[in-house]
């Protein structure tokens, strides 16, 4: 029986080592609606960043699967209501090309400016890394709720290096998702 690692911001876990070489993982994200009861539509996104630190593919609600098939997104939960995980990134390392080194995992509030919403309205944001091969949780991460006025957050990154897959929680907030796309040099 494996042990689930409770991660903190900046800590890295070698998923390959923890799982005996698994290549298939899920990043499951969950959150609860605001205290006011207002529905907050949070979308999960990802990208493939190459060894030159340039985004080569952007995966979001308008493009639910990466070109190489390594990344897929679950459907859209528009409220955060209910128990369990709200949205999921499915990652299969066996499809990743040799020039991809990072896969950021992002959440962003849909139409945040227009709706006057930010992550200050979101409660209980949490992440779980799940190993599909062995059917168990590998790591949990609960970002500090320090994103009061931010509308987008990089939860963490899958990192591919020397044949291993790692996960590094970042918990970094941004005023808008476009700032993340600019930082990762993602054009879509």
């Amino acid at each position: 029986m494996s042990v689930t690692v409770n991660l903190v911001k900046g800590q890295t876990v070698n998923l390959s080592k923890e799982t005996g070489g698994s290549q298939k993982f899920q990043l499951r994200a969950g959150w609860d609606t605001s205290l006011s009861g207002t529905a907050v539509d949070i979308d999960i996104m990802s990208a493939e960043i190459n060894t030159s630190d340039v985004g080569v593919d952007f995966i979001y609600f308008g493009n639910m699967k990466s070109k190489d098939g390594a990344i897929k997104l679950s459907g859209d939960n528009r409220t955060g209501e209910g128990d369990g995980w709200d949205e999921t990134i499915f990652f299969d390392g066996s499809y990743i090309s040799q020039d991809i080194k990072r896969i950021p995992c992002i959440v962003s509030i849909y139409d945040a400016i227009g709706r006057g919403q930010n992550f200050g309205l979101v409660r209980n944001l949490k992440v779980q890394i799940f190993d599909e091969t062995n059917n168990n949780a590998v790591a949990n991460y609960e970002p500090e709720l320090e994103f009061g006025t931010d509308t987008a957050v990089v939860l963490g990154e899958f990192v591919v290096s020397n044949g291993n897959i790692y996960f590094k929680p970042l918990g970094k907030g941004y005023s808008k998702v476009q700032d993340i796309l600019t930082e990762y040099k993602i054009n879509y």
Side-chain angles (χ1 to χ4, degrees), residues 49-56 98-102 183-185:
I49 311 301
N50 68 17
T51 54
S52 298
D53 285 325
V54 175
V56 297
Q98 292 293 94
D99 68 326
I100 300 301
K101 71 173 189 176
R102 294 185 297 154
E183 183 172 311
Y184 281 102
K185 300 176 188 165

Side-chain angles (χ1 to χ4, degrees), residues 2-8 11-15 18 127-129 136-142 167 169:
S2 66
V3 175
T4 303
V5 178
N6 290 311
L7 297 170
V8 295
Q11 181 183 3
T12 301
V13 61
N14 183 334
L15 298 174
E18 294 292 327
V127 173
Q128 181 182 81
I129 305 301
N136 66 297
V138 180
N140 293 317
Y141 171 54
E142 293 186 22
F167 182 75

Side-chain angles (χ1 to χ4, degrees), residues 65-110:
K65 181 179 175 183
S66 63
K67 293 172 194 151
D68 61 11
I71 302 169
K72 298 175 188 172
L73 303 181
S74 65
D76 191 14
N77 178 331
R78 297 184 176 178
T79 64
E81 292 178 351
D83 294 329
W85 303 106
D86 296 304
E87 295 194 18
T88 302
I89 296 172
F90 298 90
F91 171 67
D92 187 340
S94 67
Y95 287 102
I96 284 287
S97 70
Q98 292 293 94
D99 68 326
I100 300 301
K101 71 173 189 176
R102 294 185 297 154
I103 296 94
C105 303
I106 304 160
V107 287
S108 176
I109 298 174
Y110 179 76

Side-chain angles (χ1 to χ4, degrees), residues 81-186:
E81 292 178 351
D83 294 329
W85 303 106
D86 296 304
E87 295 194 18
T88 302
I89 296 172
F90 298 90
F91 171 67
D92 187 340
S94 67
Y95 287 102
I96 284 287
S97 70
Q98 292 293 94
D99 68 326
I100 300 301
K101 71 173 189 176
R102 294 185 297 154
I103 296 94
C105 303
I106 304 160
V107 287
S108 176
I109 298 174
Y110 179 76
D111 192 25
I113 305 295
R115 296 177 182 189
Q117 296 178 335
N118 57 51
F119 274 93
L121 297 173
V122 176
R123 298 179 297 126
N124 304 323
L125 181 60
K126 59 190 175 292
V127 173
Q128 181 182 81
I129 305 301
F130 186 83
D131 173 8
E132 286 189 23
T133 303
N134 297 304
N135 199 33
N136 66 297
V138 180
N140 293 317
Y141 171 54
E142 293 186 22
E144 298 290 326
L145 294 178
E146 56 194 42
F147 314 114
T149 60
D150 294 321
T151 66
V153 176
V154 176
L155 297 170
E157 295 177 336
F158 287 106
V159 178
V160 181
S161 178
N162 297 321
N164 290 305
I165 300 170
Y166 301 84
F167 182 75
K168 181 178 183 177
L170 297 175
K172 185 176 178 185
Y174 295 80
S175 62
K176 58 188 183 292
V177 73
Q178 185 59 46
D179 294 341
I180 297 172
L181 301 181
T182 300
E183 183 172 311
Y184 281 102
K185 300 176 188 165
I186 299 167

Side-chain angles (χ1 to χ4, degrees), residues 23-71:
Q23 295 278 308
K24 295 179 78 171
F25 299 97
Q26 297 175 15
L27 180 136
R28 299 169 167 180
W31 56 86
D32 291 325
T33 55
S34 70
L35 293 173
S36 68
T38 304
V40 178
D41 182 4
I42 299 175
D43 294 314
I44 199 161
M45 306 168 189
S46 189
E48 292 181 340
I49 311 301
N50 68 17
T51 54
S52 298
D53 285 325
V54 175
V56 297
D57 202 356
F58 181 49
I59 303 89
Y60 66 108
F61 60 85
N63 177 39
M64 302 279 286
K65 181 179 175 183
S66 63
K67 293 172 194 151
D68 61 11
I71 302 169

